Amino acid sequence: MQSVAQYGRIVARALAAGIHNEFQLKSPFEKPKEPLHLVTGASGFSKSKSLTKSSQLSKWTFGDDAYFISRNKVADVIGVADGVGGWRNYGIDPSSFPRTLMLVCERMVREGHFVPQSPANIIAAGYSEMMEQKVLTLGSSTACVVSLHREEQTIYSANLGDSGFLVIRNGEIVHRSTEQQHYFNTPYQLAVAPPSRDGQWLSDSPEMAESSSFKVEDGDVLMLATDGLFDNLSEDMIVRSLRPLHTHKEEERIQSTAHSMAEHAYKLSLDPDYMSPFALSACDIGIDLRGELLKNLFLFSGGKPDDITCIIARVTYQSEIFL
């Protein structure tokens, strides 16, 4: 039988170890996690030369695409929206809806009227504000918003339609959005239709947006883009183009990469002999793009002519960038 003294020594050592561990956990000298930020670059092309000049006069637009880059005290936020070109058949400018939606979302972020962990609410609030305008902005678009909560080192995303994003780490895709389509080349979309056509145009609820969260690290690279890029560049092409940014965080380098990637997609979109991801997807479901008439739009084999918007963001520690 052990003595009382031996038991006393055991208890003392246990208490000492507990106090030591507690001190380690709560030590005021423990270095807190450093906030992360996004260093961003954006570029794009309009599929129509006639729209290219005018798009340069409009902030954050490329043809019928629109985007925003914003930040406030707690988060960095980026977003894209792709207008539905079919509205031209009714005398409505398809670029007005996505441009207005992105401008409203950007203002909400800048003014802090949003929860960083719920970018779906940014989309919903922006859409709700558009629905309440005295003069409605008619049209429709997809929407994708990604928010980096700096202190949590986590990105939160919401995606409605076939725009989307990728997260690349060490040359591999580690997180991505999911494409949402009703059927081929017909994505989920927010819409404001004229009263005469109410109920005759596809209109999805903001609540249908796919939401996700993902822990990010210094060196991760995000790419957010409209379908004009994803339909013309394979994921292998995208990953190869972004690989140098894992070790280079200069804003000029990131901007240059965004422009090069958008330009590459634009050139391939006009190549009739290039078997693009869009053409391959069509083949998979039995659609022959060589002379196929689809939804009153003549589609060519190879690349898919479309507006292209590309935002590239490199995750970087706050101390390593200038705010």
Side-chain angles (χ1 to χ4, degrees):
M1 179 180 290
Q2 292 179 315
S3 67
V4 174
Q6 285 177 314
Y7 277 120
R9 284 194 294 271
I10 293 172
V11 172
R13 283 197 295 269
L15 288 173
I19 293 172
H20 177 69
N21 290 336
E22 184 72 12
F23 178 79
Q24 284 185 320
L25 290 173
K26 297 184 178 181
S27 172
F29 303 105
E30 183 179 352
K31 186 177 179 180
K33 290 183 179 180
E34 184 176 354
L36 294 171
H37 284 260
L38 298 180
V39 181
T40 58
S43 186
F45 289 85
S46 168
K47 66 179 177 182
S48 171
K49 291 183 179 180
S50 63
L51 288 176
T52 301
K53 293 182 180 179
S54 64
S55 69
Q56 293 173 348
L57 302 176
S58 301
K59 188 177 183 181
W60 297 332
T61 62
F62 298 104
D64 298 338
D65 287 354
Y67 74 97
F68 78 91
I69 299 172
S70 190
R71 61 173 49 178
N72 60 22
K73 294 180 180 180
V74 297
D76 295 352
V77 188
I78 54 180
V80 296
D82 180 3
V84 177
W87 286 102
R88 280 195 181 83
N89 298 329
Y90 305 97
I92 296 171
D93 180 2
S95 69
S96 295
F97 185 95
R99 181 173 64 249
T100 302
L101 178 62
M102 292 292 95
L103 286 172
V104 173
C105 290
E106 190 278 335
R107 191 194 74 238
M108 289 182 172
V109 171
R110 180 166 33 87
E111 295 177 352
H113 299 157
F114 83 111
V115 177
Q117 295 91 338
S118 183
N121 286 343
I122 303 175
I123 297 174
Y127 180 59
S128 177
E129 181 172 315
M130 291 179 66
M131 294 288 287
E132 295 172 359
Q133 293 174 336
K134 290 183 179 180
V135 179
L136 294 176
T137 301
L138 303 178
S140 56
S141 79
T142 65
C144 183
V145 174
V146 176
S147 168
L148 168 65
H149 192 294
R150 301 192 195 106
E151 297 291 342
E152 293 182 9
Q153 300 186 346
T154 300
I155 61 166
Y156 297 89
S157 66
N159 182 56
L160 182 80
D162 58 2
S163 297
F165 71 92
L166 300 173
V167 180
I168 296 93
R169 177 179 297 164
N170 299 323
E172 295 184 1
I173 297 173
V174 293
H175 187 56
R176 73 178 79 210
S177 57
T178 301
E179 185 179 69
Q180 295 178 315
Q181 294 200 57
H182 291 284
Y183 42 87
F184 183 71
N185 205 38
T186 306
Y188 286 24
Q189 55 200 264
L190 303 174
V192 176
S196 61
R197 295 196 172 273
D198 191 25
Q200 301 177 28
W201 197 274
L202 283 175
S203 181
D204 298 295
S205 167
E207 283 70 32
M208 296 182 71
E210 179 214 28
S211 297
S212 69
S213 63
F214 185 76
K215 283 281 187 182
V216 291
E217 302 175 357
D218 175 54
D220 287 352
V221 178
L222 283 71
M223 192 198 72
L224 183 67
T226 55
D227 68 325
L229 187 135
F230 290 112
D231 283 342
N232 289 293
L233 293 183
S234 68
E235 289 188 351
D236 286 343
M237 291 178 176
I238 293 170
V239 170
R240 283 198 302 270
S241 298
L242 296 178
R243 188 170 288 124
L245 296 183
H246 294 298
T247 54
H248 295 276
K249 54 182 174 288
E250 301 84 3
E251 186 172 357
E252 295 79 7
R253 183 71 172 267
I254 295 168
Q255 177 60 46
S256 176
T257 302
H259 180 76
S260 297
M261 186 174 294
E263 185 177 42
H264 190 196
Y266 175 72
K267 290 179 177 178
L268 290 176
S269 75
L270 304 177
D271 184 350
D273 299 318
Y274 167 61
M275 287 305 292
S276 63
F278 180 78
L280 293 172
S281 295
C283 291
D284 286 343
I285 59 174
I287 296 177
D288 181 7
L289 298 184
R290 293 173 174 83
E292 178 73 19
L293 191 64
L294 181 64
K295 296 182 67 178
N296 299 319
L297 183 66
F298 191 83
L299 299 175
F300 298 93
S301 64
K304 179 197 175 189
D306 200 356
D307 301 317
I308 295 166
T309 298
C310 173
I311 303 175
I312 295 176
R314 203 249 195 209
V315 180
T316 306
Y317 282 122
Q318 175 179 330
S319 61
E320 297 179 7
I321 64 174
F322 295 99
L323 299 181

